[in-house]
């Protein structure tokens, strides 16, 4: 289960979050845990370098992309490596939408598109599409495979 | 948090702190807002958001309604620019815009507005207002623009998924109100979800059923949006099933043409591509629907999905199948075999699919089927799937390979089955992967060239070497080693995790003692016998298979052994500790702990852990996780108790402030219990080593005497270390007897008197030769009693008393002497009158615990005195050849019971067995018991004794004639707990953590810990003391009341109050009968009740309350002859001790009130325990024994003695 996908800016303000299977009362904990994790570890980290953490049997993979940090939380079959796959897909889509590692402004300008991409990548707590071209097609309401 | 985040988000999306380079272009939200808001207005959204919730709600509602009205009568179409000049964009404005723009959706400008401004901003909000649905549906029907439509589907899905309660949606972002509640407030214009959901579902269903080719992209999205509807709605669910199966009926049965390049499949004809798209959409939707295990159509479609062209569809099919297989492996296997193996060889194709998760699902599916009991009859099928699983070990993706390794190891889900794990280790070390032959026996062409897309990392493709069968262990080891050279942290982390799982399986194999696990065996021996098995291959079309090598011995020399492979792997693992990520390091350490075998040297692991722990970067949660790993490791291999305790000790040394003392103690206890008779000594030693922490500094053994200095540098860890030391001392006192298997009531030692004559040196020698475990525990405790901080000294004194009471001779005597030495010096200095007391008794060695020790000493004193008395009596009877009269026996029995009660105040002893008067009393007491029908097992477990009923019957004391105050329930609860070891009890908070950890559970959210020990929910030792100090007056009152009577029931209440004092600490005690019950409501509430009922009868003792209370308002009476009470007055610091033990000595006043008397005649002491009296001297009568009064003088006599026995007739009671 992909428990959460979360985007935050460099100050730790959350820009996008998608939870699934996390009770509402625990989301607050997750938010602050992830933001703290990022604040502690993401300084000086290169773009797209993956960092890993775990809490009990939940795995977290996170990274920084431009001004935005991305966190992915999962359990069971979504272990570190599966989360790494997921975060790669997210990174490539965000870069695809923004054209480069986004600044915060750019990210917000493309906010709607990013939400649509995320909608194609994560569907009810599961990774759906992993191919960037396919995602782009789907966000434009085109069929996944074109003829 | 959400609010602030939301505000910021809102802030960010409307304000523009740094002008974006592309702000001129229409893609920039704020730049394109016509006209751009002036900078002065930038802060405004914040104000809007900060309005009180109520007003915000109302405003939104009003705006929405007016917007809806405006939408109904679209008179003013272009009102937005003026509005926005004044106001920054708000939700209500967005909503209004949607309504207005929906009406004009055919215009390009409206579409642009929607796509670039309205929809992206709406995405910021947590949920979508149902009242937007009509406009969205209108857009959905009328608008042509694809991007607008895509957003419409997105928002429709969000409305469907919204579970109506605020904040429950997955959206995140700026919190939105509960729309339905809002709609209810306004009965006229409110639109609830219930109103719109059917409309949305209808429209989406219609679209999802639209078979028009040109429409199929929208069809896909409609189907996707539909799956967001809550699955609790069975109507929608059945509609969805209908749609999905309807689509699959049309598109699934056509012959599949799998193409090599799966993505960007340009070459395909339109029809097959559309079919594949629909297949994908249908299977994706099916994956989101609840599983339907019994449904053959469901299974059939999922199996068909394995050979679909779309890789995501294949992944979903495999995931569905692997989930189904856990429920009904037989059906899944049969369906798969029927479809896949004979139709298209699809499973082999999946191996080369680019979708990683699809291959992961395949691994899980293969594992489930190949281990299914239901398929015992069909070994051929099982081996087919097994071989696919083994081939996945060669997968280029770590994710897939590791999943395959974990499956081979028997780790599938969180349920740990030791047998499966052990078998997993066996498989890994014994089995061999034989790759497919180039020309397959089967007629399927699909296998040829199957290696193209997938060269195994470690081997060269197509070379003869690849074809050579590979032992699994070698493959796995090589793969893991190369993974550890990776730079990616997720890879390192998961490789370490795989090694950890390997260690678990290995431990399980050893634990089960699986024969034939000889790690020295060569693994490289692919024997002829295995080859010959080829011919008797199963009917299946695939020749690759796994052969179990039956003999390992025929390998040539110089080959790899499991041990050598493991050694080289572990070398790589160890170097990974250098990773800068603590999480990776933690996983590596866990892996090392699991791979540590009980027979190997521990030094390396210890030094690794020690150096790791010095790193301040470690978060407490992670350290505790490692500590819990030790627990799990111990459970797997009890032999390792000592090893693990030594590791745990490193934690205590290095990071006392970060680890959970409860968990550590639980580990001690578990290890001690599990260590077996031989290991107990070492296990206890390992625990006690904590007492030597930190490493000796000049001038102090514990380093805690310099507590001030330590606290200056790091108060938190100093405090934590102290708590740990206290815990260790307590643990030692409680469990040393268990570890040493030395109990007074099982002791073969002759009664103490025989040893009385020995001098101290001989005694120590005798003690240590008799039971070195106990002797060494005692020595450590003695050292602590001397040199710890005062908290430690107190606990040490208590622990020593426990030890003294529970152990036989010579230990008891040794402790007695020690305690006396500890206490007496202080008394003498006090008596010498040279030093004017400053109100604090320093004790002999400045330990300051004299006040605490004296009641303990008294108990021991009384026991010895009573023993002497008994021996004297026995001798008298023997000499005079006299039978014991009933009266004498009764007196003896009463003494016995009284001492038992006393002893029970200090620690638990089994009343039925414990003989405070020594073994020789056993016979006499038995006689009395049989004569009077007192059950030998009577004790606390016997309600009659516990409630004082037996005293009512057999005792003449008037004081005990009060109603029983101890609740039967309580007694029964205790009794029920007596037999229960309580080791895995439910109550201890640490236990929950351990169990949770062992079960692999714990997905709950982490606390962002402040690493604050004080704030931990469990009551700390210090808290307890503080509490005791605060509550002293009240407690004292209660205790004094109960001590006003001497019936055992009051004893019980005192005891329970003690146990509840210490109960909160949850110190595990092997000995105690109710460790799990400590501090629970029962033991803490009941005594309160019993005390309460006591107070009704305790009226006469009210005078005593004042005396007993250390917080008296009047000055302490220096004339009081009681040294003990004197001390307790002077030493409020020892609140806990003086409070519980002070009441104890009053316990001994047989009448309950202090009695005073005057000496009638001079009396010269005839023995050590007797007291000289001068006629006219005033004394306080403590108690009466056999015609003797035990009296105390107000000032010491010429001989320096203050208290002793005098004949009753010499004293007139006043």
């Amino acid at each position: 289960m992909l428990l959460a996908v979360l985007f935050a800016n460099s100050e730790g303000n959350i820009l996008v979050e998608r939870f699934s299977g996390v009770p509402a009362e625990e989301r607050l904990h997750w938010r602050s845990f992830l933001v703290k994790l990022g604040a502690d570890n993401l300084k000086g980290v290169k773009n797209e370098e993956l960092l890993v953490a775990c809490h009990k049997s939940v795995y977290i993979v996170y990274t920084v992309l431009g001004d935005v940090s991305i966190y992915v939380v999962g359990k069971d079959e979504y272990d570190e490596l599966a989360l790494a796959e997921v975060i790669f897909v997210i990174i490539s889509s965000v870069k695809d939408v923004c054209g480069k590692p986004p600044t915060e402004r750019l990210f917000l300008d493309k906010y709607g598109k990013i939400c649509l991409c995320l909608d194609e990548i994560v569907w009810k707590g599961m990774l759906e599409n992993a191919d960037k071209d396919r995602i782009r097609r789907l966000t434009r309401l085109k069929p996944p495979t074109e003829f | 948090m959400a609010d602030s985040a939301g505000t910021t988000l809102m802030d960010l999306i409307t304000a523009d702190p740094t002008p974006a380079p592309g702000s001129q272009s229409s893609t920039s939200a704020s730049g394109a807002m016509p006209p751009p808001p002036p900078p002065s207005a930038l802060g405004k959204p914040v104000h809007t958001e900060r309005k009180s919730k109520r007003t915000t709600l109302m405003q939104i509602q009003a705006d929405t309604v007016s917007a809806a009205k405006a939408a109904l009568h679209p008179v003013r179409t272009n009102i937005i620019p003026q509005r926005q000049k004044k106001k920054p964009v708000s939700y209500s404005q967005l909503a209004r815009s949607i309504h207005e723009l929906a009406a004009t959706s055919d215009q390009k400008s409206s579409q642009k507005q929607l796509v670039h401004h309205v929809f992206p901003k709406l995405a910021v909000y947590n949920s979508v207002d149902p009242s937007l649905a009509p406009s969205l549906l209108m857009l959905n029907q009328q608008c042509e623009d694809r991007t607008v439509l895509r957003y419409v589907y997105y928002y429709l899905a969000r409305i469907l998924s919204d579970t109506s309660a605020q904040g429950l949606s997955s959206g995140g972002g700026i919190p939105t109100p509960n729309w339905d509640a809002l709609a209810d407030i306004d009965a006229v214009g409110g639109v609830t979800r219930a109103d719109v959901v059917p409309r949305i579902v209808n429209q989406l269903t219609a679209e999802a059923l639209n078979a028009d080719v040109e429409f199929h992209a929208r069809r896909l999205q409609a189907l996707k949006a539909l799956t967001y509807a809550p699955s609790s709605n069975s109507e929608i669910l059945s509609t969805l099933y209908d749609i999905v199966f309807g689509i699959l009926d049309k598109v699934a049965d056509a012959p599949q043409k799998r193409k090599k390049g799966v993505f960007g499949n340009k070459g395909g004809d339109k029809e097959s591509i559309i079919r594949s798209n629909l297949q994908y959409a249908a299977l994706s939707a099916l994956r989101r629907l609840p599983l339907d295990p019994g449904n053959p159509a469901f299974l059939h479609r999922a199996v068909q999905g394995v050979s679909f062209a779309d890789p995501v569809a294949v992944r979903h099919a495999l995931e569905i199948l692997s989930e189904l297989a856990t429920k009904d492996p037989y059906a899944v296997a049969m369906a798969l075999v029927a479809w896949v193996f004979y139709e298209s060889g699809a499973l082999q194709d999946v191996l080369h699919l680019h979708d990683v998760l699809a291959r992961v699902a395949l691994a899980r599916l293969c594992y489930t089927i190949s281990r299914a009991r239901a398929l015992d009859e069909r070994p051929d099928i099982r081996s087919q799937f097994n071989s696919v699983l083994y081939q996945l070990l060669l997968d280029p993706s770590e994710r897939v390979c590791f999943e395959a390794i974990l499956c081979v190891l028997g780790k599938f889900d969180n349920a740990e089955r030791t047998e499966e794990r052990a078998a997993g280790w066996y498989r890994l070390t014994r089995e061999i992967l034989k790759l497919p032959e180039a020309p397959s026996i089967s007629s399927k062409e699909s296998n040829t060239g199957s290696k193209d897309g997938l060269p195994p990392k470690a081997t060269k493709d197509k070379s003869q070497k690849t074809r050579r069968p590979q032992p699994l262990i070698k493959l796995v080891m090589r793969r893991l080693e190369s993974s550890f050279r990776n730079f990616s942290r997720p890879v390192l982390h998961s490789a370490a995790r795989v090694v950890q799982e390997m260690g678990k399986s290995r431990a399980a194999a050893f634990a089960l003692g699986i024969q034939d696990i000889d790690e020295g065996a060569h693994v490289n021996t692919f024997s002829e016998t295995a080859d010959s098995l080829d011919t008797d291959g199963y009917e299946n079309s695939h020749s690759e298979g796994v052969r179990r090598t039956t003999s390992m011995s025929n390998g040539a020399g110089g080959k790899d052994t499991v041990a050598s492979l493991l050694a080289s792997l572990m070398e790589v693992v160890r170097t990974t500790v250098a990773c800068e990520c603590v999480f990776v390091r933690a996983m590596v350490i866990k892996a090392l702990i699991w791979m540590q075998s009980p027979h190997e040297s521990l030094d390396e692991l210890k030094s690794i852990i020690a150096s790791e722990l010095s790193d301040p970067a470690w978060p407490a949660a992670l350290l505790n996780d490692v500590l819990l790993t030790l627990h799990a490791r111990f459970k797997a291999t009890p032999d390792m108790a000592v090893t693990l305790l030594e590791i745990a000790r490193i934690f205590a040394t290095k990071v006392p402030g970060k680890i959970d003392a409860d968990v550590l103690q639980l580990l001690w206890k578990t290890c001690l219990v599990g260590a077996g008779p031989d290991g107990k000594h070492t296990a206890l030693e390992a625990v006690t080593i904590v007492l030597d922490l930190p490493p000796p500094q000049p001038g102090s053994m514990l380093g805690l005497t310099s507590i001030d200095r330590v606290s200056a540098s790091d108060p938190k860890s100093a405090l934590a270390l102290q708590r740990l030391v206290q815990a260790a001392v307590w643990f030692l006192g409680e469990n040393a007897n268990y570890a040493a298997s030395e109990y007074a009531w099982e002791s073969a030692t002759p009664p103490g008197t025989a040893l009385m004559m020995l001098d101290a040196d001989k005694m120590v020698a005798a003690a240590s030769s008799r039971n070195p475990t106990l002797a060494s525990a005692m020595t450590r405790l003695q050292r602590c009693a001397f040199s710890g901080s005062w908290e430690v000294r107190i606990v040490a004194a208590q622990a020593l008393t426990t030890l003294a009471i529970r152990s036989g001779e010579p230990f008891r005597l040794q402790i007695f002497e020690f305690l006396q030495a500890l206490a007496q010096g202080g008394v003498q200095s006090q008596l010498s009158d040279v030093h004017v007391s400053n109100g604090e008794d320093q004790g002999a060695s400045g330990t300051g615990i004299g006040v605490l020790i004296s009641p303990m000493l008294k108990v021991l004193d009384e026991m010895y005195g009573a023993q002497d008395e008994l021996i004297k009596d026995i001798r008298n009877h023997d000499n005079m050849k006299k039978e014991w009269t009933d009266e004498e026996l009764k007196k003896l029995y009463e003494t016995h019971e009284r001492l038992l009660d006393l002893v029970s105040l200090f620690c638990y002893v089994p009343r039925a067995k414990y003989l405070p008067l020594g073994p020789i009393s056993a016979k006499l007491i038995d006689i009395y018991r049989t004569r009077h029908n007192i059950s030998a097992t009577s004790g606390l477990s016997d309600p009659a004794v516990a409630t004082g009923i037996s005293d009512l019957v057999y005792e003449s004391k008037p004081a005990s004639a009060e109603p029983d105050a101890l609740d039967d329930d309580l007694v029964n609860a205790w009794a029920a707990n007596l037999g229960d070891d309580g080791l895995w009890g439910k109550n201890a908070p640490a236990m929950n953590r351990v169990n949770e950890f062992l079960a692999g559970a714990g997905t709950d959210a982490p606390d962002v810990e402040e690493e604050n020990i004080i704030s931990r929910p469990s009551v700390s030792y210090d808290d307890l003391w503080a509490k005791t100090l605060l509550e002293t007056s009240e407690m004292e009152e209660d205790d004094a009341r109960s001590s006003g009577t001497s019936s055992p029931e009051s004893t019980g209440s005192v005891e329970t109050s003690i146990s509840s004092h210490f109960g909160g600490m949850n110190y595990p005690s092997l000995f105690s009968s109710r460790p799990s019950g400590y501090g629970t409501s029962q033991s803490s509430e009941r005594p309160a009740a019993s005390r309460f009922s006591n107070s009704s009868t305790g009226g006469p003792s009210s005078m005593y309350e004042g005396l007993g209370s250390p917080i008296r308002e009047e000055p302490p009476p220096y004339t009081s002859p009681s040294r003990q009470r004197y001390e307790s007055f002077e030493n409020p610091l020892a609140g806990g001790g003086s409070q519980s033990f002070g009441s104890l000595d009053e316990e001994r006043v047989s009448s309950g009130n202090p009695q005073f008397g005057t000496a009638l005649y001079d009396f010269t002491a005839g023995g050590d325990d007797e007291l000289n009296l001068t006629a006219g001297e005033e004394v306080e009568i403590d108690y009466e024994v056999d015609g003797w009064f035990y009296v105390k003088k107000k000032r010491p006599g010429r001989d320096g003695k203050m208290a002793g026995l005098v004949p009753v007739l010499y004293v007139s009671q006043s």
Side-chain angles (χ1 to χ4, degrees), chain A residues 77 80 120 127-128 141, chain B residues 146 150 284 315 399 493:
Chain A
E77 68 267 37
E80 315 91 338
E120 295 296 348
L127 177 67
E128 182 66 17
L141 203 67
Chain B
R146 285 179 171 276
R150 181 64 189 81
S284 288
R315 183 212 306 158
R399 177 70 188 87
H493 192 267

Side-chain angles (χ1 to χ4, degrees), chain B residues 597-598 602 630-631 633-649 667-676 678-687:
Chain B
S597 95
L602 182 70
L630 291 179
H631 234 290
R633 184 77 187 91
F634 168 78
K635 284 202 81 184
T637 316
D639 293 351
M640 288 183 65
V642 177
T643 317
L644 296 173
L645 281 171
E646 280 189 44
I647 297 174
R649 183 178 74 91
L667 180 66
W668 289 343
K669 183 182 167 182
T670 328
C671 288
L672 189 57
V673 175
D678 305 329
K680 274 181 194 155
H681 174 73
T682 9
L684 197 70
E685 277 292 290
V687 173

Side-chain angles (χ1 to χ4, degrees), chain A residues 17-19 27-28 36 56 77 79-81 105 112 119-120 123-124 127-128 134 141 145, chain B residues 1 15 146 150 154 169-171 221 224 227 277 280 284 288 310 315-316 399 493 497 1002 1008:
Chain A
E17 58 177 7
R18 293 286 178 273
F19 283 108
R27 293 181 183 175
L28 189 73
K36 184 169 186 283
K56 298 185 179 170
E77 68 267 37
D79 65 3
E80 315 91 338
L81 294 173
R105 186 68 248 165
D119 187 49
E120 295 296 348
W123 177 354
K124 286 190 122 183
L127 177 67
E128 182 66 17
R134 189 174 160 127
L141 203 67
T145 315
Chain B
M1 182 77 202
R146 285 179 171 276
R150 181 64 189 81
Y154 176 68
S169 75
S170 62
Q221 289 296 342
K224 175 175 178 177
T227 61
N277 285 342
Y280 152 74
S284 288
R288 270 77 190 184
D310 191 289
R315 183 212 306 158
H316 290 317
R399 177 70 188 87
H493 192 267
R497 199 161 48 86
V1008 178

Side-chain angles (χ1 to χ4, degrees), chain B residues 24-35:
Chain B
Q24 297 309 315
S25 81
S26 59
T27 53
S28 169
S30 62
M33 200 77 76

Side-chain angles (χ1 to χ4, degrees), chain B residues 132-327:
Chain B
L132 290 184
S135 297
L136 289 172
L137 288 173
M138 188 157 71
L139 277 173
N140 190 31
Q141 280 173 328
Q142 294 173 1
C143 189
E144 299 283 305
D145 187 273
R146 285 179 171 276
T147 321
V148 171
L149 283 173
R150 181 64 189 81
Y151 274 115
V152 168
Y153 284 116
Y154 176 68
Y155 288 115
L156 287 178
R158 285 185 66 173
I159 293 177
L160 278 183
S161 74
D162 196 346
T163 45
S164 82
Q166 184 189 0
L168 274 182
S169 75
S170 62
I174 298 175
T176 44
N178 183 340
W179 301 111
D180 285 358
L182 210 59
D184 285 341
I185 297 173
D186 182 19
V188 194
V191 183
T192 59
R193 265 187 88 242
D195 299 333
V196 296
V197 163
R199 285 184 61 192
I200 299 176
V201 169
N202 283 343
Q203 191 159 335
L204 290 177
T205 309
E207 291 182 13
L209 291 170
N210 189 337
D212 183 1
V213 169
E214 297 309 317
F215 196 73
H216 93 278
R218 290 185 65 179
R219 192 179 179 189
L220 263 52
Q221 289 296 342
L223 186 54
K224 175 175 178 177
L226 266 181
T227 61
Y228 278 99
S231 56
S232 51
N233 187 334
S234 59
E235 201 180 324
I236 300 180
L237 215 57
S238 66
T239 317
L240 263 173
Y241 275 121
D242 286 347
I243 299 172
V244 167
F245 284 115
I247 294 175
L248 284 174
D249 284 342
K250 292 213 178 79
V251 297
D253 293 324
Q256 305 298 321
K257 289 182 190 167
R258 170 110 51 181
K259 297 288 176 296
K260 274 273 182 60
V262 177
F263 286 108
N265 197 349
K266 298 281 187 236
D269 57 312
K270 190 173 174 184
E271 193 189 331
S272 70
I273 288 172
I274 290 174
R275 193 190 307 126
S276 137
N277 285 342
L278 286 173
Q279 286 170 347
Y280 152 74
L283 270 184
S284 288
L286 195 62
R287 174 87 180 99
R288 270 77 190 184
L289 295 176
L291 278 189
D292 194 358
N295 186 347
F298 200 102
L299 179 59
H300 175 65
R301 293 304 177 194
V303 168
Q304 278 184 331
V306 175
S307 49
F308 282 170
D310 191 289
V312 183
V314 176
R315 183 212 306 158
H316 290 317
L318 285 167
E319 281 174 353
I320 293 172
L321 284 176
S322 84
E323 276 182 32
L324 279 178
T326 56
K327 304 212 162 62

Side-chain angles (χ1 to χ4, degrees), chain A residues 3 9 12-15 17-19 24 26-33 35-37 41 49-59 61 75-82 84-85 104-105 108-113 115-116 119-120 122-124 126-131 134 138-147, chain B residues 1-2 8-9 12-13 15-18 20 27-29 120 123-124 146-147 149-151 153-154 167-173 216-218 220-221 224 227-228 263 270 273-274 277 280 284 287-288 310 312 315-316 356-357 398-399 402 489-491 493-494 497 581 583-584 996 1000-1008:
Chain A
L3 295 174
N9 67 7
N13 295 315
I14 287 153
L15 301 178
E17 58 177 7
R18 293 286 178 273
F19 283 108
E26 280 185 15
R27 293 181 183 175
L28 189 73
H29 291 278
W30 276 113
R31 272 181 218 129
S32 39
F33 178 76
V35 166
K36 184 169 186 283
L37 200 65
N41 298 300
E49 182 180 343
L50 296 189
L51 280 77
V52 71
C54 63
H55 170 75
K56 298 185 179 170
S57 54
V58 177
Y59 307 100
V61 172
K75 64 173 181 188
D76 299 335
E77 68 267 37
Y78 287 94
D79 65 3
E80 315 91 338
L81 294 173
E85 301 271 337
E104 194 172 331
R105 186 68 248 165
L108 290 171
D109 284 347
K110 304 285 185 186
Y111 195 84
K113 275 243 178 278
C115 285
L116 290 186
D119 187 49
E120 295 296 348
V122 183
W123 177 354
K124 286 190 122 183
M126 285 173 230
L127 177 67
E128 182 66 17
N129 293 296
D131 183 71
R134 189 174 160 127
L138 283 166
T139 56
R140 291 173 188 172
L141 203 67
K142 290 176 181 168
T145 315
E146 278 192 285
F147 23 90
Chain B
M1 182 77 202
T8 322
L9 243 189
L12 288 166
I13 208 156
D16 195 352
T18 51
T27 53
S28 169
V124 172
R146 285 179 171 276
T147 321
L149 283 173
R150 181 64 189 81
Y151 274 115
Y153 284 116
Y154 176 68
L168 274 182
S169 75
S170 62
H216 93 278
R218 290 185 65 179
L220 263 52
Q221 289 296 342
K224 175 175 178 177
T227 61
Y228 278 99
F263 286 108
K270 190 173 174 184
I273 288 172
I274 290 174
N277 285 342
Y280 152 74
S284 288
R287 174 87 180 99
R288 270 77 190 184
D310 191 289
V312 183
R315 183 212 306 158
H316 290 317
V356 168
L357 287 177
E398 267 98 4
R399 177 70 188 87
F402 289 170
R489 288 178 183 183
V491 172
H493 192 267
S494 87
R497 199 161 48 86
C581 172
F583 290 96
V584 172
E996 194 183 66
T1003 55
D1004 55 323
D1007 284 326
V1008 178

